[in-house]
Amino acid sequence: MKEKNLLKWLFLGILVVVLGGVVFVLGRISGEKTQSRKAASLVIPGYQLAEIEGAPAEYVVDLKNQGEKRQLVRVYTENKETKTLPVIIKVFSLGKDGFKEEFKFEAKFPGKAKPPFDVANQLEEVKVEKNFWGDGRTVVFFSLFSNYYGSGGKNYLIFLSYKEGRYQVVQGPVLDELADYRFTGKNGKGEELVVAKAVWNTEEEGHFSPHRYTLEHWIWNENSYEKAGLERTTENKYDPASNVLDQIIQKEPHLL
């Protein structure tokens, strides 16, 4: 009888050790898979991390205004020389265990293209701006271009911020490839925006020839940009290959 009990307890002991080993191994595998998923979340199949002037388009910021930079903003473009897919913007939280995706934006906008939206497929500019609208918020500004490799295209100005517990993307004015813009706010840089749009006389002027420009004034109203005041058109023509607003300031500053 004693031998049977001894064998019984010995068997149970071996079973506990084996089960403990299995649980440990499964835990390691599960942990490795979790880490793999977190690392893979930084990768989008068919896309690459975009670059601005040779630098990677990724930014560690404090979008939630918690006094500590805990969000990683990354911009992705299609991994091809000829790009047709939309730019993708992702926000990740930074934690001890790695990255967690918190927000995703695909650059698709209402338009006449098929399917019935325009796709911004190129990244032109990114800037991280503190107190951009004068309300203390940090904003990431993007200039995204919809270009299908002709002479024309659309430039979408968009703004990523965090408000009332959620991320939001605000769309600003839509410009073309001949336009110029500048933020001119005082309390917050983004409170006011001046846009110069080309007045193109197609019968007398080439696409990239000098044009007269109409100036628009846009005001931030806490949730979006609204056009304000009268539009003014220049008397002179300006070269779109140079900074148009700089040229206008030199020759017709009274318009601003």
Side-chain angles (χ1 to χ4, degrees), residues 127 129 131-134 183-192:
K127 287 186 177 179
E129 302 281 0
N131 194 36
F132 187 66
W133 290 317
F183 297 103
T184 60
K186 295 181 180 179
N187 295 325
K189 185 177 179 180
E191 285 185 316
E192 298 182 23

Side-chain angles (χ1 to χ4, degrees), residues 77-92:
T77 54
E78 188 178 5
N79 190 16
K80 291 182 180 179
E81 185 174 352
T82 301
K83 306 180 190 304
T84 58
L85 297 179
V87 171
I88 294 178
I89 299 167
K90 283 192 174 188
V91 180
F92 301 89

Side-chain angles (χ1 to χ4, degrees), residues 22-88:
V22 170
V23 170
F24 175 78
V25 170
L26 289 176
R28 287 291 301 273
I29 292 174
S30 176
E32 289 171 3
K33 286 183 177 179
T34 302
Q35 293 298 329
S36 176
R37 284 198 299 269
K38 289 174 180 175
S41 68
L42 294 178
V43 177
I44 302 177
Y47 278 78
Q48 63 187 358
L49 182 62
E51 291 188 351
I52 293 290
E53 297 179 351
E58 58 180 356
Y59 310 89
V60 179
V61 296
D62 181 21
L63 280 172
K64 295 183 179 180
N65 293 322
Q66 296 174 331
E68 188 176 0
K69 296 180 178 180
R70 301 298 296 172
Q71 292 83 49
L72 174 67
V73 178
R74 299 185 109 222
V75 187
Y76 300 84
T77 54
E78 188 178 5
N79 190 16
K80 291 182 180 179
E81 185 174 352
T82 301
K83 306 180 190 304
T84 58
L85 297 179
V87 171
I88 294 178

